[in-house]
Amino acid sequence: MLLGCGILSGLCLQAAGRPTVEQWGVFELTLSGPTNGNPFLEVKLSARFTQGTNVLEASGFYDGEGVYRVRFMPPVVGEWTYETRSNVRKLNGTAGHFTVTKPGPENHGPVGVANTYHFAYADGQPYHELGTTCYVWEWQPAALQAQTLKTLAASPFNKIRFCVFPKRYQWNTNEPILYPYASRDQCATTTNWDWGQFNVKYFQHLDQCVAALQQLGIEADLILFHPYDNGHWGFDRMPASADDRYVRYVVARLAAYRNLWWSLANEWDFMKQKRESDFVRFGEIIAHEDPYPHLLSIHNGSLLFNDTLPWITHASIQNGFAVEEPGRAELYRDVYRKPVVYDEVKYEGDIESRWGHLAADELVFRFWNATVAGTYCGHGETYRSADQILWWSKGGVLKGQSPARLAFLKKVMDDAPAEGIEPVDKWQSAGMGGQPAKYYLIYFGKQTPTNWVFELPKPPVAAVKSAEGLRFTAETLDTWNMTVTPVPGEFTLEKKDNYTFADKDGRSIPLPGKPYQAIRLKVISGPPGSRSPGLP
Amino acid sequence: MLLGCGILSGLCLQAAGRPTVEQWGVFELTLSGPTNGNPFLEVKLSARFTQGTNVLEASGFYDGEGVYRVRFMPPVVGEWTYETRSNVRKLNGTAGHFTVTKPGPENHGPVGVANTYHFAYADGQPYHELGTTCYVWEWQPAALQAQTLKTLAASPFNKIRFCVFPKRYQWNTNEPILYPYASRDQCATTTNWDWGQFNVKYFQHLDQCVAALQQLGIEADLILFHPYDNGHWGFDRMPASADDRYVRYVVARLAAYRNLWWSLANEWDFMKQKRESDFVRFGEIIAHEDPYPHLLSIHNGSLLFNDTLPWITHASIQNGFAVEEPGRAELYRDVYRKPVVYDEVKYEGDIESRWGHLAADELVFRFWNATVAGTYCGHGETYRSADQILWWSKGGVLKGQSPARLAFLKKVMDDAPAEGIEPVDKWQSAGMGGQPAKYYLIYFGKQTPTNWVFELPKPPVAAVKSAEGLRFTAETLDTWNMTVTPVPGEFTLEKKDNYTFADKDGRSIPLPGKPYQAIRLKVISGPPGSRSPGLP
């Protein structure tokens, strides 16, 4: 029996009359079904959604109190029909139709891989990943959650990594506000969980948090497993059947949210009760169950996962060492032929652990190294606090100096060519990113030059027939003080040798002799003498 | 009909009476068979070799003039039997036995992977890869070949990369002394080859060259395909059926040589007539056909192969950029979880191409970077020469200054722990290799310190219960001037902080303020006050 159609777009809204939902919004089918037995284990439910030749199958889920839901993210506009399938007669064969309208102005669809190493929304708009991490912000008291969302809204971050399961670790020994499973002992903190009984309130709250992030334009990089439990609750060591059921349940609930990314695990190799093959199985389940599919990755401790597996969409890497130098950062690109996101590169903060006391400038430096290497970087913050609230784990407020600089970097990324920033002259020189013959971003890091001789590697023929005579504007960027200073005049390329073009007048660009400087060059597409850069 | 048993050990020797061959030598079964039709296409021949529970199947090959051979490298001593199988009655069911004796003093068996990232001979002796490249030395005039072997004999190199097929490239436009196929036109330089007719003289010569290298204790890293033909002969663009037949033929001929390594291609991605899947197919053929199996890799141009594939034993990488810094060099290890051999890192020389004009010290620097990063590096030399003989392509004599320094490095490698040199404190600091709590090799590269404070990362518990009180001897190594200077006294570890141990007296080691210095530390295993290092 059909109870009603809910349309979620950030928050859940009821539509009156003929159901409509915008493209990449959430169409939610709500059905009434059995409450006897264990619906989580016994009831199978899915729906087939059809529009023309588009056919997608989405799994449904039990949401407690006799309520069953199937959520669907329509990928194209038009008239859609659906029909349910279930092993329960009451839920089987329910059919209907709905209209999918154009997306609203803030809705660009899910993020996917673009140009091999980069990301774009489904509508084609480039997505420049700039993520942060608050592992269990959503299981903190309501006021703290609200504060986290407020902080995020004012931040430059467009992705947040967080865990489904609660976390127990240093600075994070409080119990979560809810638990994901019903207890056999009626005792909230027991480890005697009933793996067959999801606590729907827990997952409803998770839904709301993902939706709240969507409202802010932030991608939810949801971590399915992590080791920071260590048997305290036992969610890190459930039986394999419970693991698989949990993965399917989360996919059924959340796959319809366009801002959802799957992260199979945080520090997968630190989960000593799991084997590598377990994570392969989880990945295969998601690859099979997720109808869209969303981005999917897995985050490492000290052992990299095999990110060449076909269902892994991008490499999510913890390795601060790799972004200490742009020449290191670019190496993983060629191995994986996928976007590389350095999701954990140590944290801005002042705790004792060596992963948690980077100076702000060091963290910003790592982001820039990653950027000019054609990769992406992740933020985190671990400032010691009397209230035990560290952003990295619980959210709250940002105290560091890096976010403002990362907002500046974000502007630079957004101003770059849509194809993305690539290493220029791969495996030959580090620190120069861009698109050959079009755009260059030269980062000097901790070097303190007073001058940069205008020389560029010969662009490949695929980029330009000949670089001879190409003209560029130049700007100097102080990446720490967040200034952009145009360099007077323009620069014209002339062949220097088989590998290099230089300014025809042998000009250089003066630099202030301070660290963290960059130069940005943009080709001038107008006639000689004009100053209009070739990029918007 | 059995013609005789030949035993190759470097050179082919006939055994009198009951055949004997040493372990990892070549047992060669020679049979007389049909000459009509096309034996290369029509005759199937293999033999099954049995000793106790050891059963290996080796393919045979046609060697011209009615002679068929099956070669076998016995992996264990004892009494072996064999029986042939063929679609030709005369060749089918030939049976016999032979005795496999202990290997001679210079015979350590084939090289395989050891300790994940390193190599060892089959008898357990560590193999410290120090390779060079002479792409087509064996197709040059006889005097030049002899000179190359003489040069190799006096060199530190224990591996050489070279191609089965001839090469046509700058400084290498001469025709080879032989061609691998019969021509349909009776014209040696034609491209109208008969892909069904191998020129057995060509492959007999190749056999001899591999055997000659074995006599010198040098591994033959044999490159099956390469792009430096560009259609001149067309060996880079044979039909797929010819490619596969060729791969099987080479495996049948050469797999019994213990010093054989397979390299599927040089710069595989520059072979524009082939697709990636072709090389996967070749790899799978070898993995199936090679009874032992030998080491197997593939070398890249600008696109890395997927070296995570299970039949690839080690990563053979062209990337000079990755060994400009030890922090870069170590990154591929974690991706592949296999030995990483930087087989091409640009060349010592003075030609115009940027890949061919490294200074000797720069090449030696790259080797050291690779070494302390737990990887291996490859040598090559491209000094311009009036006789057009550049070592890199044709062999001849070595003119550079790096080989002597690489011989010095080889001694250092041979003196290191048998487990191999690993990055110490992975992803935290670069330039320190070794085995925690046991042996450290600290390389300063182009830095010119005058002092090194004796501080080591806390060894993992797996290496030592506590590092407190561990005592070390120290030496300073000038890697360019090839000197080893003992540092007086000994150093005793004391905990400094959660991550570091330092000398209890806060001592430092003085350094000469010159580039290319290193420090070697060895644990003292004797009682306090003794000076005997813990390593042989």
Side-chain angles (χ1 to χ4, degrees):
Chain A
M1 180 191 278
L2 186 63
L3 277 185
C5 290
I7 296 157
L8 277 86
S9 177
L11 297 173
C12 180
L13 302 170
Q14 287 293 331
R18 181 189 178 90
T20 67
V21 63
E22 63 180 39
Q23 187 181 8
W24 304 311
V26 178
F27 175 81
E28 185 174 279
L29 184 63
T30 306
L31 302 165
S32 175
T35 56
N36 59 317
N38 184 341
F40 293 112
L41 300 181
E42 294 159 20
V43 179
K44 310 283 174 216
L45 172 65
S46 64
R48 174 164 293 191
F49 295 85
T50 306
Q51 187 265 2
T53 56
N54 297 305
V55 181
L56 285 95
E57 186 97 16
S59 293
F61 61 93
Y62 184 55
D63 206 19
E65 300 182 346
V67 176
Y68 293 78
R69 302 185 197 279
V70 185
R71 289 177 181 161
F72 176 61
M73 176 180 74
V76 294
V77 299
E79 297 302 309
W80 285 78
T81 60
Y82 62 83
E83 183 169 358
T84 64
R85 294 201 293 183
S86 178
N87 60 343
V88 173
R89 185 173 301 177
K90 198 178 173 189
L91 298 172
N92 190 47
T94 295
H97 53 83
F98 57 97
T99 303
V100 175
T101 60
K102 285 190 175 172
E106 302 300 316
N107 174 359
H108 301 285
V111 174
V113 172
N115 301 318
T116 307
Y117 298 108
H118 303 283
F119 300 103
Y121 292 99
D123 72 352
Q125 180 175 299
Y127 169 80
H128 299 119
E129 200 275 343
L130 195 83
T132 188
T133 296
C134 306
Y135 281 119
V136 285
W137 70 276
E138 83 277 33
W139 305 124
Q140 306 309 313
L144 182 51
Q145 290 179 51
Q147 190 182 45
T148 303
L149 288 170
K150 192 177 164 194
T151 302
L152 285 170
S155 82
F157 302 117
N158 59 13
K159 193 190 83 174
I160 181 169
R161 300 171 63 244
F162 63 105
C163 305
V164 177
F165 287 133
K167 176 184 169 186
R168 191 172 181 87
Y169 201 74
Q170 47 185 337
W171 296 284
N172 194 165
T173 52
N174 56 323
E175 290 290 319
I177 56 169
L178 291 163
Y179 295 96
Y181 290 94
S183 170
R184 296 183 190 277
D185 295 344
Q186 311 300 318
C187 163
T189 58
T190 181
T191 56
N192 189 16
W193 307 105
D194 182 349
W195 304 126
Q197 288 285 350
F198 292 109
N199 176 6
V200 294
K201 290 196 181 353
Y202 190 89
F203 290 95
Q204 285 163 358
H205 181 68
L206 190 61
D207 295 347
Q208 288 161 12
C209 290
V210 171
L213 291 168
Q214 187 182 104
Q215 288 284 77
L216 299 178
I218 295 174
E219 303 295 300
D221 197 354
L222 196 64
I223 298 161
L224 300 185
F225 293 94
H226 68 72
Y228 326 113
D229 178 316
N230 208 19
H232 174 69
W233 302 293
F235 307 133
D236 60 339
R237 56 198 67 189
M238 302 191 293
S241 60
D243 283 343
D244 293 1
R245 188 184 312 123
Y246 155 72
V247 171
R248 290 175 201 277
Y249 189 73
V250 172
V251 171
R253 288 201 75 109
L254 289 164
Y257 291 86
R258 65 175 172 270
N259 63 322
L260 209 291
W261 299 24
W262 306 116
S263 176
L264 295 184
N266 213 66
E267 296 186 328
W268 71 271
D269 49 314
F270 291 172
M271 297 193 73
K272 296 307 177 194
Q273 276 74 25
K274 297 240 179 301
R275 293 191 301 183
E276 193 163 358
S277 56
D278 290 319
F279 296 102
V280 171
R281 195 176 76 246
F282 303 150
E284 289 173 347
I285 289 172
I286 295 178
H288 184 263
E289 294 285 318
D290 180 353
Y292 306 109
H294 291 282
L295 292 167
L296 197 173
S297 70
I298 180 167
H299 167 277
N300 64 286
S302 64
L303 191 60
L304 292 178
F305 203 76
N306 181 2
D307 285 333
T308 67
L309 290 172
W311 40 263
I312 294 181
T313 56
H314 63 285
S316 169
I317 292 179
Q318 173 176 200
N319 188 343
F321 181 76
V323 289
E324 287 177 8
E325 198 254 321
R328 292 181 194 163
E330 74 174 79
L331 293 181
Y332 288 128
R333 283 172 40 109
D334 294 292
V335 171
Y336 296 124
R337 305 186 202 162
K338 294 175 183 178
V340 174
V341 182
Y342 292 101
D343 270 311
E344 195 175 346
V345 300
K346 300 186 175 175
Y347 297 88
E348 178 184 353
D350 61 3
I351 62 173
E352 197 185 358
S353 301
R354 63 182 176 182
W355 52 262
H357 57 226
L358 288 189
D361 64 334
E362 176 67 28
L363 182 59
V364 175
F365 167 69
R366 292 174 181 210
F367 266 82
W368 274 85
N369 286 337
T371 302
V372 296
T375 64
Y376 298 89
C377 200
H379 165 270
E381 189 184 284
T382 48
Y383 280 108
R384 210 183 289 264
S385 188
D387 62 8
Q388 299 281 305
I389 299 172
L390 281 65
W391 174 261
W392 141 80
S393 197
K394 298 180 181 174
V397 295
L398 286 163
K399 299 164 185 172
Q401 294 179 283
S402 67
R405 278 78 190 180
L406 300 180
F408 176 80
L409 169 62
K410 182 74 165 49
K411 276 190 204 164
V412 173
M413 294 163 84
D414 291 344
D415 174 70
E419 307 93 297
I421 295 170
E422 297 279 309
V424 172
D425 212 20
K426 184 183 89 160
W427 296 353
Q428 299 296 338
S429 59
M432 181 184 283
Q435 286 288 334
K438 193 170 179 181
Y439 172 95
Y440 296 87
L441 192 61
I442 304 144
Y443 180 55
F444 299 97
K446 294 178 184 179
Q447 299 170 58
T448 56
T450 54
N451 193 50
W452 179 74
V453 178
F454 198 102
E455 287 187 5
L456 298 173
K458 183 171 99 176
V461 178
V464 68
K465 200 176 159 191
S466 167
E468 195 74 29
L470 281 184
R471 296 151 50 235
F472 287 88
T473 61
E475 297 157 303
T476 55
L477 280 61
D478 184 321
T479 68
W480 181 253
N481 293 309
M482 300 175 280
T483 60
V484 177
T485 309
V487 178
E490 63 183 50
F491 298 82
T492 305
L493 290 188
E494 186 176 76
K495 183 175 172 174
K496 188 187 168 198
D497 59 38
N498 277 346
Y499 297 109
T500 317
F501 280 76
D503 176 57
K504 71 175 170 57
D505 301 320
R507 291 173 61 206
S508 293
I509 293 176
L511 288 162
K514 294 192 295 183
Y516 307 134
Q517 306 300 303
I519 287 173
R520 180 165 63 184
L521 309 177
K522 295 177 183 175
V523 77
I524 300 168
S525 57
S530 79
R531 276 277 309 178
S532 61
L535 292 166
Chain B
M1 178 190 281
L2 188 62
L3 275 186
C5 289
I7 295 157
L8 278 86
S9 177
L11 297 174
C12 180
L13 303 170
Q14 288 292 332
R18 181 187 177 91
T20 67
V21 61
E22 64 181 40
Q23 187 180 8
W24 305 310
V26 178
F27 175 82
E28 185 175 278
L29 186 61
T30 306
L31 302 165
S32 173
T35 56
N36 60 318
N38 183 341
F40 295 112
L41 301 180
E42 294 159 20
V43 178
K44 310 285 174 214
L45 172 64
S46 65
R48 174 164 296 191
F49 295 86
T50 307
Q51 187 265 1
T53 57
N54 296 306
V55 181
L56 285 94
E57 186 96 18
S59 294
F61 62 93
Y62 183 55
D63 206 20
E65 301 182 349
V67 176
Y68 292 78
R69 301 185 197 278
V70 185
R71 291 177 179 160
F72 177 62
M73 176 180 74
V76 293
V77 298
E79 297 303 309
W80 285 79
T81 60
Y82 61 83
E83 184 170 356
T84 65
R85 294 201 294 183
S86 178
N87 60 343
V88 172
R89 185 174 301 176
K90 198 177 173 190
L91 299 171
N92 191 47
T94 297
H97 52 84
F98 56 97
T99 303
V100 176
T101 59
K102 284 192 179 174
E106 302 300 316
N107 174 359
H108 301 285
V111 174
V113 172
N115 301 318
T116 307
Y117 298 108
H118 303 284
F119 300 103
Y121 292 99
D123 72 352
Q125 181 174 299
Y127 169 80
H128 299 120
E129 199 275 342
L130 195 82
T132 188
T133 296
C134 307
Y135 282 119
V136 283
W137 71 276
E138 82 277 35
W139 305 124
Q140 307 309 314
L144 183 51
Q145 289 180 50
Q147 190 181 46
T148 303
L149 288 171
K150 192 177 165 195
T151 303
L152 285 169
S155 82
F157 303 119
N158 58 13
K159 193 190 82 174
I160 181 168
R161 299 172 62 245
F162 63 104
C163 304
V164 177
F165 287 133
K167 175 184 170 186
R168 191 173 180 85
Y169 201 74
Q170 46 184 337
W171 296 284
N172 194 164
T173 53
N174 56 323
E175 290 290 318
I177 55 168
L178 291 163
Y179 295 96
Y181 291 95
S183 170
R184 295 181 190 280
D185 294 345
Q186 311 300 318
C187 163
T189 60
T190 182
T191 56
N192 190 15
W193 307 105
D194 182 349
W195 305 126
Q197 289 286 351
F198 293 108
N199 176 6
V200 294
K201 291 198 182 345
Y202 191 88
F203 291 95
Q204 286 163 358
H205 181 68
L206 191 61
D207 296 347
Q208 288 161 11
C209 291
V210 171
L213 291 168
Q214 187 182 104
Q215 288 285 77
L216 299 178
I218 295 174
E219 303 294 302
D221 197 354
L222 195 66
I223 299 162
L224 299 187
F225 293 94
H226 68 72
Y228 326 113
D229 178 317
N230 208 17
H232 175 70
W233 302 293
F235 307 133
D236 60 339
R237 56 198 67 189
M238 301 190 294
S241 59
D243 283 343
D244 293 1
R245 189 184 311 123
Y246 156 71
V247 171
R248 290 175 201 276
Y249 190 72
V250 172
V251 171
R253 289 200 75 107
L254 289 164
Y257 291 86
R258 65 175 172 270
N259 63 323
L260 210 288
W261 299 24
W262 306 116
S263 176
L264 295 184
N266 213 66
E267 297 188 326
W268 70 271
D269 50 313
F270 291 172
M271 298 193 72
K272 296 306 178 194
Q273 276 74 23
K274 297 239 179 303
R275 293 191 301 183
E276 192 162 359
S277 56
D278 290 319
F279 297 102
V280 172
R281 195 177 77 246
F282 303 149
E284 289 172 348
I285 290 172
I286 295 177
H288 184 264
E289 295 286 318
D290 180 354
Y292 307 109
H294 291 281
L295 291 168
L296 198 172
S297 70
I298 180 167
H299 168 277
N300 65 287
S302 64
L303 191 58
L304 293 178
F305 203 76
N306 181 3
D307 285 332
T308 67
L309 290 172
W311 39 263
I312 294 182
T313 56
H314 64 285
S316 169
I317 293 179
Q318 173 176 198
N319 188 343
F321 181 75
V323 288
E324 287 177 8
E325 199 254 321
R328 292 181 195 162
E330 73 174 78
L331 293 181
Y332 288 127
R333 282 171 41 109
D334 294 293
V335 171
Y336 298 124
R337 305 186 202 162
K338 293 175 184 177
V340 173
V341 182
Y342 292 101
D343 270 310
E344 195 175 346
V345 300
K346 299 185 176 175
Y347 297 88
E348 178 184 354
D350 60 2
I351 63 173
E352 197 184 359
S353 302
R354 64 181 176 183
W355 52 262
H357 58 227
L358 288 188
D361 64 336
E362 176 67 29
L363 182 59
V364 175
F365 166 69
R366 291 172 183 212
F367 266 82
W368 274 85
N369 286 337
T371 302
V372 295
T375 64
Y376 298 89
C377 199
H379 165 270
E381 187 184 287
T382 48
Y383 280 108
R384 210 182 289 264
S385 188
D387 61 8
Q388 300 280 305
I389 300 172
L390 281 65
W391 174 261
W392 140 80
S393 198
K394 298 181 183 174
V397 294
L398 285 162
K399 300 165 185 171
Q401 295 180 281
S402 66
R405 278 78 190 182
L406 300 180
F408 177 79
L409 169 61
K410 183 74 167 45
K411 277 190 205 163
V412 173
M413 293 163 85
D414 291 344
D415 173 71
E419 308 94 294
I421 296 170
E422 297 279 307
V424 172
D425 211 20
K426 184 183 88 160
W427 296 354
Q428 298 296 337
S429 59
M432 181 184 284
Q435 286 289 335
K438 192 170 180 181
Y439 172 95
Y440 296 86
L441 192 60
I442 304 145
Y443 180 56
F444 299 97
K446 294 180 185 179
Q447 299 170 57
T448 55
T450 55
N451 194 50
W452 180 72
V453 178
F454 198 103
E455 286 187 7
L456 296 174
K458 183 171 97 178
V461 178
V464 68
K465 200 175 160 193
S466 167
E468 196 75 29
L470 281 184
R471 295 150 51 234
F472 288 87
T473 60
E475 296 157 303
T476 56
L477 280 60
D478 185 321
T479 68
W480 181 254
N481 292 309
M482 301 174 279
T483 60
V484 177
T485 309
V487 178
E490 64 183 50
F491 298 83
T492 304
L493 291 187
E494 184 177 79
K495 182 175 173 176
K496 188 187 168 196
D497 59 37
N498 277 345
Y499 298 109
T500 317
F501 280 76
D503 176 59
K504 70 176 172 53
D505 301 320
R507 289 173 62 207
S508 295
I509 293 176
L511 288 163
K514 295 193 295 184
Y516 307 134
Q517 306 301 304
I519 288 173
R520 180 165 62 184
L521 309 176
K522 295 177 184 176
V523 77
I524 300 169
S525 58
S530 79
R531 276 276 310 178
S532 61
L535 293 165

